[in-house]
Amino acid sequence: GHVVLDATSRSSARSTSSASPAPPHRCSAMQSDDVVWTIINQRFCSFKAKTRTQTFCRNQYNVTGLCNRTSCPLANSQYATIEEKEGRLYLCMKTVERAHLPNQLWERVLLPKNYAQALAMIDSQLEYWPEIVKHKCKQRLTKMTQYLIRKRRLRLKPQPTLER
């Protein structure tokens, strides 16, 4: 159990210990994200659905629906997606700072009904985020806006009644 240091390693240990920014027992968010992804990818994930050609993800927060490193909400400590509830769209954001509070892990921001204003809000909310995250959120916003328009149009259209 004891570590023996010689004279040269003691002086280098002293000089580095006073300037080290983080304690050695803590790992960065990036390292823990990689560990989580390794386990999910190589071992087991309850959200994973494999087909012959692709692997899909059933997690409600997955921005693309595909199981890969950049799309996985579990393996990314900083993640954003678009969610629909009762016909309204929300920008959901997950950050490292809220990781210790699972009930407040996702911050939800109501997006305007106007498509252009919603795009501008995504740009402002995700201003300092990676471009890939912003792009995927905008793609999902476009897809979900089109889906909601179709849904409203079908609801307004008179439904034919079946006769016996």
Side-chain angles (χ1 to χ4, degrees):
H2 295 309
V3 176
V4 179
L5 298 174
D6 61 359
T8 57
S9 59
R10 263 191 236 134
S11 63
S12 65
R14 256 187 250 119
S15 63
T16 56
S17 65
S18 63
S20 66
H25 67 278
R26 293 182 63 190
C27 64
S28 71
M30 211 42 193
Q31 288 172 333
S32 62
D33 288 353
D34 289 338
V35 170
V36 170
W37 175 247
T38 303
I39 291 167
I40 288 172
N41 193 32
Q42 294 174 359
R43 294 197 182 119
F44 178 74
C45 177
S46 59
F47 297 109
K48 194 183 286 190
K50 286 187 177 182
T51 64
R52 273 182 267 144
T53 56
Q54 278 187 314
T55 306
F56 295 100
C57 178
R58 289 182 275 215
N59 190 308
Q60 68 178 11
Y61 294 110
N62 190 310
V63 77
T64 62
L66 298 174
C67 182
N68 60 41
R69 176 70 176 87
T70 56
S71 298
C72 184
L74 303 174
N76 287 295
S77 52
Q78 186 180 34
Y79 194 79
T81 188
I82 306 292
E83 187 179 49
E84 184 258 332
K85 282 200 178 177
E86 299 172 5
R88 292 304 306 266
L89 296 176
Y90 295 85
L91 174 64
C92 300
M93 297 172 288
K94 171 184 163 183
T95 59
V96 180
E97 293 82 20
R98 287 190 292 272
H100 68 287
L101 301 167
N103 64 336
Q104 298 172 10
L105 185 63
W106 292 91
E107 178 187 351
R108 286 177 179 79
V109 177
L110 180 65
L111 293 171
K113 287 185 177 181
N114 182 302
Y115 177 71
Q117 291 174 354
L119 281 174
M121 183 173 264
I122 289 173
D123 273 333
S124 67
Q125 290 286 327
L126 305 178
E127 187 175 357
Y128 301 108
W129 288 50
E131 283 300 316
I132 185 80
V133 174
K134 284 200 274 189
H135 180 66
K136 293 294 182 187
C137 282
K138 288 177 183 180
Q139 280 184 324
R140 189 166 166 90
L141 174 73
T142 304
K143 191 174 192 176
M144 293 182 94
T145 302
Q146 291 169 348
Y147 148 75
L148 288 173
I149 291 169
R150 275 196 313 275
K151 187 177 169 183
R152 287 186 201 115
R153 195 174 291 147
L154 284 172
R155 200 177 320 128
L156 293 173
K157 193 176 186 180
Q159 298 295 321
T161 56
L162 296 174
E163 296 177 18
R164 291 185 182 207

